[in-house]
Amino acid sequence: MSQDFVRRMPDAGSGFGKRTNWIETIHLDFVLLLLLIVVSLYGMLILYSAVGQQNGPLISQAIKFGIAILAMVFMAQISPIFYLRIAPWLYCLTVMLLVLVLLYGPVINGSRRWLRISGVGGFQPAELMKLVVPLVLAWYFHDRHLPPVSKHIFWTLVIIMVPVLLIAFQPDLGTSLLICVSGLLVLLLAGISWRTVFTAIGAGVLAAPGLWFVMRDYQKARILTLIDPERDPLGSGWNIIQSKTAIGSGGIFGKGLFQGTQSNLDFLPESQTDFIIAVLAEEAGLFGVMFLLIMYILIIGRGLLIAIQAQDTFGRLLAGTITFTFFVYVFVNIGMVSGLLPVVGVPLPLVSYGGTSIVTLFAGFGMLMSIHTHRRITL
Amino acid sequence: MAEPLTLKDHSTERQIFIDRVVIGFGLLLALTAILVARMFYLQIIQHGVYTTLSDKNRIHIQSLPPKRGLIYDRNKRLIADNVPAKILTIVKERAVNIDATITRIRAIIPITDNQIRAFRKRMDGQRRPFESVPLRLKLTEEEIARISVNLYDLPGVEVEARLVRHYPMGAFMSHAVGSVRRINAEDLQRLDQIAYSGTDHIGKIGVEKYYEKLLLGKVGYRRVESNARGKVMQELDKKLPVPGINLTLHVDSRLQAVAIDALAGRRGAVVAIEPSTGGILVLVSNPSYDPNLFISGIDRKTYSELRDSIDVPLFNRALQGQYEPGSTLKPFLALAALENQVINADYTIQDPGWFKLSNNERLYRDWNWTKNSPGGHGSVNLQKAIYRSCNVYFYQLAVRMGIDTISEYFKLFGFGRNTGLDLPEARNGLLPSREWKLKARGEAWFPGDTVNIGIGQGSILVTPLQMATAVTVLANRGRWVRPRLLMNTEIMPVSGSGRMPITNVPQWDSRNWETVIEAMSMVVHRGNQGFGENGTAWAYIGRGIEYQMAGKSGTAQVVGIKQGEEYEAEELDERLRKHAWFVAFAPVDEPRIALAVLIENGGGGSKFAAPVARQIIDEYLLR
């Protein structure tokens, strides 16, 4: 290893040389920051069109980005060691909050998701859990042998299922599924054997038909709508028909910025939130969508690079999981809007209107930056 | 923690992690490729399909109904106009539930079952998407107010302004011009529904029906962009409707008024024709009805009153009423006899007051026979037979000519057929012949039948229009003009050709025409000669007349009078009294007006119908 150190010394671009970058002295990653800002600005432009060129929602979204960036900067300052120490306590606290939600949360639209804090407002503990589950699992595997043995896998699943079930009871099936996926991602990155993975997938496929009988009617309707949106074109099929129409009518280059008829004439529902990719696809066409996808891939690429460069298991697993989870959001959202997946309430990262998801995302990227910028110079 | 006796192998763990990240990233790229493929499929392969869907979402075609052509009389006075009215419409695509919507509307304003039937037919028929369909026409101010406050709760329901037909002259012109009615379920089966989209009415009677194509105009449209809630955001393009063509009729509304006044409420009909053109100056059928009642849907009570009235106001007597012509037929029979050389103008008979067929005991009386006096007109030549209306003379003529000759000649004057150019509703009357009687009654033609035809009775039937037309041909000395209502349109002159070519009456000896016409002017002008020698109408209209008028009275029996019984008007029920006829044209030398007046159960033609004719002709020639 020391040889490595000797050899690296002359490289101006790494090691000590990098530390001279002022932006890294405040523990931020320049490349990731730049990519996030570009996508955020791009998203704000789409949002401006989706809200009918009103300034109000745009300013509100800009403020949320501001808060989110502050959260990111704050998270980046904290050393990974601190995250490692507080991880189990944070997990227990968040699970308790989820229990409180189920007990005392106000019922909004038929589900309990919020906790009210007098004077501050409300927040969703489930949103916090999106970060806490990768965090606690990374902590769990940090001082254990990898690849994990069955006993560890079992305890990992317990750690995952407790919050997943609590959230599923709210009910918020979309979030609980995404948290479950992020937990499983940790297992995958920790090196769980492929045999186990495929066995689990096989069992899941076999169990899938059984799921049909435990699903609620509205969930069944979503599956049926995915298969044939025309079965209820004005009801449950409306959203997906209109979003496909918006996307398809955009063509290669789109109808032009602010010229989308589907969104501006209100045919496209949820055009500012979950279905905003359809606005982009309609107005900027395939090119606009491709640009966004490439930006996402670059962000993910940078995130994975950070994960690979991380110096310990905790940093690697945490950074890798945060990055892959980000992609899961992207894939589920675009897949849902374009009619590949059933409709679940997942916003498009960095683009959809709404504060909570943006703050969570940026906080996650803040942790990524913390992992990257708190590396010991080398070993 | 029993196991960490072995050291963590950081290098291996790192390598496993990197492997997993690389595999994961590969999977990620594959999934991204699926998303790109999906976008490619939607945005490039299916682009056309979704562009169409997107346009169908936002672009709607709205019909712009044309303005129906106006109808004027010959003095450019408006007979049929269009006035704005508010109507209630529903757009199916925006109404959540049509049945529930109708039920809710019915709770607010009255709507009849008929209106709902017509609405449904139209809703289910050929219809452009997002086209509004009328449910109720002619809303009152109060109804508009009541609907308006509830509109928020009635998606798809709109109060629209449309032009609706209005007849400013009302009942006055209804039988002359006809009227439009609301398009009903049966109409929709045969109509081009695109051409009528946005149009609520169609010509159902008379000129309005006959010239429907001209009056309707061409429907226009506008393409609009509307949002998901149906609100119109902008107009993309539009094609203006082409208004219907304005028509000018020959009818003279002032003369029409004079005719109605002259009838003074009696049931009857007047048809006056301009002999040079065939243009119908007056077409009155009394009583009449207000056509405006029918436009927005008449209520059941008013309709059944009109329909069931004993005076049948909905019935057009002038075109469809078929009556025995009585003595008004005599001039035509005289002409036929002269031309046929059955007699010459000097042929004279001694009239004993009755006529008898050689092998039959039945006596055919003259009109001045009574139980106390044998009647008769003494020595009678052709002209006297006309101006005194001598029955016995014409009994003889008829028998000597025979029914075949009579039918053939009468046909030349338009009896037994509809010669009208734009009067499809006019009836044919009945011109009897041997073949007709055999076919209709299964009996042979008897000489006795011919005797009655001689005085315009028996099985012969004519309409007032036919009578006026025949007199017009007479006034023209045989030159035919087909009776017509349309004088001109703003775009084209009216062609004289019709469905049925009418040939002029063959160029007969002009002396024959003048003999008969002179006799007809004696009917009016020959006076102060003593009762037995005056023209029959002179006493009633012949005095102080400033122009030469040719006329002939007629009195048609409604009930058969038994052999040897006398007709006593006072003893008969009013509805069984004789019909009064008078036909005339003037001036004799250059006729400008020819007419027929019929008064149902009016009594003697000279006394009751002739004054009506004189008032109309006075007005027309002297005003």
Side-chain angles (χ1 to χ4, degrees):
Chain A
M1 279 306 202
S2 59
Q3 235 184 339
D4 274 337
F5 176 55
V6 173
R7 258 202 269 136
R8 255 189 221 171
M9 273 297 283
D11 285 357
S14 61
F16 278 125
K18 244 185 165 180
R19 280 295 163 93
T20 57
N21 190 335
W22 69 269
I23 213 155
E24 292 210 357
T25 60
I26 55 164
H27 299 289
L28 296 181
D29 180 64
F30 177 74
V31 178
L32 192 54
L33 185 63
L34 185 70
L35 290 169
L36 289 175
I37 287 172
V38 170
V39 174
S40 299
L41 290 175
Y42 191 58
M44 298 249 293
L45 189 65
I46 303 165
L47 183 72
Y48 186 52
S49 176
V51 297
Q53 300 170 55
Q54 294 169 281
N55 290 328
L58 196 68
I59 291 165
S60 154
Q61 182 81 342
I63 291 169
K64 281 163 191 159
F65 270 120
I67 295 168
I69 287 171
L70 285 180
M72 179 181 74
V73 172
F74 175 76
M75 298 295 272
Q77 308 313 308
I78 299 167
S79 162
I81 297 162
F82 182 73
Y83 288 127
L84 184 63
R85 275 192 204 129
I86 65 161
W89 308 109
L90 205 57
Y91 177 77
C92 294
L93 177 73
T94 315
V95 167
M96 273 165 64
L97 288 176
L98 284 175
V99 173
L100 283 178
V101 165
L102 284 182
L103 293 177
Y104 302 112
V107 179
I108 297 167
N109 292 330
S111 60
R112 299 177 191 271
R113 298 182 182 182
W114 295 83
L115 265 190
R116 282 229 182 89
I117 302 164
S118 51
V120 181
F123 92 114
Q124 300 185 37
E127 204 62 41
L128 192 59
M129 205 40 122
K130 285 179 180 172
L131 287 176
V132 171
V133 164
L135 197 64
V136 75
L137 290 179
W139 162 80
Y140 182 76
F141 285 120
H142 180 65
D143 51 6
R144 283 180 172 77
H145 277 289
L146 294 181
V149 295
S150 343
K151 192 175 98 181
H152 297 156
I153 294 173
F154 172 77
W155 284 112
T156 308
L157 290 176
V158 170
I159 291 170
I160 294 172
M161 289 321 283
V162 169
V164 163
L165 289 176
L166 283 172
I167 294 167
F169 277 125
Q170 287 183 352
D172 184 356
L173 209 64
T175 307
S176 91
L177 273 175
L178 285 169
I179 288 172
C180 185
V181 166
S182 72
L184 296 176
L185 276 172
V186 181
L187 270 179
L188 212 61
L189 291 174
I192 186 174
S193 76
W194 290 116
R195 233 182 86 187
T196 318
V197 172
F198 289 121
T199 311
I201 291 175
V205 168
L206 287 178
L211 270 179
W212 184 259
F213 299 101
V214 296
M215 274 200 279
R216 300 187 186 188
D217 283 344
Y218 78 95
Q219 291 162 340
K220 289 181 185 172
R222 284 178 180 185
I223 305 283
L224 290 175
T225 299
L226 176 71
I227 297 163
D228 179 20
E230 296 296 336
R231 61 184 276 275
D232 184 11
L234 294 176
S236 59
W238 171 268
N239 284 23
I240 200 68
I241 290 172
Q242 296 304 334
S243 71
K244 278 160 75 178
T245 302
I247 294 168
S249 63
I252 304 177
F253 298 108
K255 296 176 181 170
L257 195 61
F258 311 136
Q259 305 295 313
T261 55
Q262 286 287 107
S263 54
N264 285 325
L265 298 175
D266 301 332
F267 289 102
L268 187 67
E270 305 288 332
S271 65
Q272 308 152 24
T273 52
D274 291 357
F275 281 73
I276 198 163
I277 186 78
V279 179
L280 173 67
E282 185 184 22
E283 298 190 346
L286 188 58
F287 270 73
V289 176
M290 289 300 287
F291 176 76
L292 184 67
L293 284 175
I294 288 167
M295 294 307 293
Y296 280 145
I297 299 283
L298 289 176
I299 289 174
I300 289 161
R302 182 66 189 167
L304 294 180
L305 203 67
I306 288 172
I308 289 169
Q309 289 178 358
Q311 288 165 326
D312 52 24
T313 303
F314 175 74
R316 275 197 289 272
L317 289 182
L318 184 58
T321 310
I322 287 172
T323 309
F324 277 120
T325 308
F326 179 78
F327 175 75
V328 171
Y329 292 156
V330 171
F331 182 77
V332 170
N333 177 273
I334 299 179
M336 154 187 107
V337 176
S338 64
L340 286 176
L341 299 173
V343 175
V344 280
V346 175
L348 185 66
L350 306 176
V351 180
S352 284
Y353 184 74
T356 327
S357 86
I358 286 173
V359 173
T360 315
L361 283 167
F362 272 84
F365 287 120
M367 289 165 86
L368 230 64
M369 290 179 182
S370 158
I371 291 163
H372 196 55
T373 55
H374 285 88
R375 279 175 302 169
R376 278 142 293 168
I377 299 163
T378 189
L379 287 171
Chain B
M1 299 236 175
E3 82 258 31
L5 286 170
T6 51
L7 282 167
K8 262 173 90 80
D9 185 347
H10 288 279
S11 168
T12 311
E13 282 187 14
R14 186 162 181 264
Q15 195 52 51
I16 291 174
F17 180 79
I18 291 173
D19 288 350
R20 289 293 158 103
V21 165
V22 169
I23 292 169
F25 192 66
L27 196 66
L28 179 153
L29 288 180
L31 289 175
T32 307
I34 290 175
L35 289 184
V36 172
R38 177 66 175 170
M39 288 293 170
F40 186 87
Y41 173 75
L42 290 177
Q43 299 198 282
I44 292 172
I45 297 174
Q46 297 279 73
H47 176 60
V49 174
Y50 287 113
T51 300
T52 311
L53 279 178
S54 160
D55 286 346
K56 254 170 72 184
N57 258 348
R58 68 186 178 98
I59 297 173
H60 304 131
I61 294 177
Q62 296 183 338
S63 302
L64 298 173
K67 182 170 156 283
R68 193 172 175 86
L70 304 176
I71 303 177
Y72 297 97
D73 84 340
R74 62 163 50 212
N75 307 314
K76 280 285 167 198
R77 259 175 262 177
L78 209 49
I79 301 173
D81 192 7
N82 300 308
V83 294
K86 293 281 172 75
I87 67 168
L88 187 78
T89 64
I90 301 182
V91 176
K92 188 184 187 179
E93 283 77 358
R94 289 187 200 123
V96 184
N97 179 336
I98 295 275
D99 295 322
T101 304
I102 292 176
T103 311
R104 252 182 291 167
I105 295 172
R106 283 188 103 167
I108 302 166
I109 59 167
I111 288 163
T112 67
D113 291 341
N114 265 338
Q115 286 163 336
I116 291 176
R117 255 200 302 283
F119 168 81
R120 286 201 181 281
K121 194 83 189 174
R122 196 137 197 205
M123 183 65 84
D124 298 337
Q126 181 193 3
R127 187 181 60 94
R128 290 185 175 128
F130 286 89
E131 183 187 322
S132 63
V133 174
L135 176 63
R136 251 292 305 272
L137 308 178
K138 255 195 183 166
L139 298 169
T140 64
E141 290 296 326
E142 194 202 331
E143 286 167 341
I144 294 169
R146 275 195 300 200
I147 277 290
S148 301
V149 293
N150 284 295
L151 273 183
Y152 72 93
D153 200 25
L154 296 166
V157 177
E158 275 166 50
V159 175
E160 282 182 44
R162 295 232 180 135
L163 286 175
V164 169
R165 202 54 149 181
H166 176 67
Y167 300 99
M169 297 184 186
F172 208 74
M173 273 292 176
S174 56
H175 285 301
V177 75
S179 71
V180 298
R181 301 275 161 91
R182 190 173 172 182
I183 292 174
N184 63 27
E186 292 85 68
D187 297 327
L188 288 170
Q189 312 217 309
R190 58 180 177 84
L191 285 182
D192 173 359
Q193 294 199 22
I194 294 298
Y196 279 86
S197 60
T199 300
D200 308 318
H201 293 95
I202 183 168
K204 271 287 169 67
I205 317 173
V207 169
E208 291 272 30
K209 179 183 184 187
Y210 191 79
Y211 294 109
E212 173 66 21
K213 276 199 182 116
L214 294 179
L215 289 166
L216 174 64
K218 266 190 95 164
V219 68
Y221 63 84
R222 61 184 200 132
R223 292 196 316 135
V224 295
E225 185 181 84
S226 35
N227 69 10
R229 288 173 300 283
K231 188 176 170 224
V232 172
M233 309 303 280
Q234 61 167 321
E235 186 176 282
L236 300 174
D237 65 45
K238 83 171 171 190
K239 188 171 157 254
L240 288 170
V242 181
I245 290 159
N246 296 343
L247 307 182
T248 303
L249 303 187
H250 279 287
V251 175
D252 184 329
S253 58
R254 209 170 40 135
L255 214 54
Q256 186 96 353
V258 169
I260 290 170
D261 278 355
L263 283 175
R266 290 171 290 182
R267 294 184 306 281
V270 179
V271 177
I273 295 174
E274 183 179 57
S276 57
T277 60
I280 292 174
L281 299 168
V282 174
L283 198 154
V284 165
S285 173
N286 210 39
S288 185
Y289 64 94
D290 183 357
N292 294 311
L293 287 175
F294 287 90
I295 287 171
S296 49
I298 190 168
D299 66 88
R300 197 170 283 279
K301 185 167 162 281
T302 315
Y303 179 68
S304 49
E305 271 171 20
L306 279 175
R307 187 192 54 198
D308 301 336
S309 164
I310 191 170
D311 293 335
V312 283
L314 297 177
F315 179 64
N316 192 333
R317 292 170 164 81
L319 301 181
Q320 301 186 310
Q322 304 183 106
Y323 307 88
E324 291 183 0
S327 302
T328 53
L329 208 58
K330 285 172 180 168
F332 304 97
L333 197 71
L335 252 178
L338 285 174
E339 187 55 35
N340 203 30
Q341 294 179 335
V342 172
I343 55 158
N344 63 32
D346 300 327
Y347 176 73
T348 305
I349 63 156
Q350 290 300 317
D351 172 14
W354 52 264
F355 171 80
K356 201 162 82 75
L357 284 166
S358 55
N359 53 358
N360 195 316
E361 281 308 304
R362 177 177 168 151
L363 289 180
Y364 295 88
R365 301 287 188 178
D366 215 323
W367 59 267
N368 57 357
W369 172 89
T370 62
K371 276 180 182 165
N372 304 322
S373 141
H377 297 94
S379 173
V380 179
N381 66 7
L382 181 75
Q383 287 195 330
K384 186 176 176 186
I386 291 173
Y387 72 73
R388 286 304 304 157
S389 201
C390 172
N391 285 358
V392 171
Y393 194 94
F394 283 99
Y395 290 145
Q396 280 203 16
L397 276 194
V399 171
R400 286 174 68 174
M401 281 170 74
I403 185 62
D404 301 330
T405 316
I406 292 172
S407 300
E408 185 189 321
Y409 276 79
F410 276 6
K411 207 171 174 184
L412 295 172
F413 288 91
F415 294 115
R417 53 185 174 156
N418 175 13
T419 57
L421 200 59
D422 49 11
L423 302 154
E425 287 133 4
R427 293 180 66 175
N428 291 334
L430 177 59
L431 180 58
S433 64
R434 284 177 201 283
E435 301 78 55
W436 165 81
K437 195 178 174 193
L438 197 63
K439 223 170 115 186
R441 302 208 177 141
E443 284 176 23
W445 186 269
F446 297 115
D449 299 327
T450 316
V451 177
N452 272 331
I453 297 296
I455 59 163
Q457 296 199 354
S459 40
I460 187 164
L461 292 174
V462 299
T463 65
L465 173 69
Q466 280 177 321
M467 224 45 242
T469 309
V471 174
T472 301
V473 178
L474 191 64
N476 282 342
R477 276 74 171 171
R479 188 177 71 81
W480 253 97
V481 283
R482 298 187 59 180
R484 69 195 65 194
L485 281 163
L486 185 63
M487 183 150 80
N488 59 51
T489 69
E490 55 202 347
I491 53 155
M492 57 181 180
V494 176
S495 76
S497 66
R499 290 158 295 139
M500 174 174 47
I502 305 261
T503 51
N504 289 336
V505 178
Q507 271 306 304
W508 292 344
D509 190 335
S510 69
R511 281 173 305 175
N512 293 345
W513 291 100
E514 297 312 325
T515 303
V516 171
I517 289 167
E518 196 187 351
M520 284 174 73
S521 61
M522 288 162 120
V523 169
V524 178
H525 297 283
R526 186 180 164 97
N528 293 326
Q529 310 284 319
F531 173 73
E533 297 295 327
N534 287 339
T536 52
W538 173 79
Y540 308 111
I541 61 169
R543 278 175 259 224
I545 200 163
E546 292 172 42
Y547 48 86
Q548 284 289 306
M549 186 208 291
K552 183 69 194 82
S553 60
T555 307
Q557 284 178 10
V558 174
V559 286
I561 304 294
K562 279 195 197 123
Q563 190 79 54
E565 274 186 21
E566 200 174 335
Y567 172 85
E568 292 285 354
E570 289 74 22
E571 291 170 13
L572 278 168
D573 181 64
E574 195 260 351
R575 304 249 167 205
L576 300 177
R577 285 181 205 160
K578 295 174 179 179
H579 294 326
W581 277 103
F582 198 79
V583 297
F585 66 87
V588 168
D589 294 332
E590 280 172 35
R592 288 173 52 205
I593 181 169
L595 55 71
V597 175
L598 169 88
I599 300 174
E600 278 183 13
N601 315 113
S606 291
K607 188 172 177 182
F608 297 103
V612 173
R614 165 123 193 231
Q615 281 181 57
I616 294 166
I617 297 174
D618 274 0
E619 174 67 21
Y620 190 65
L621 296 181
L622 306 177
R623 71 183 159 197

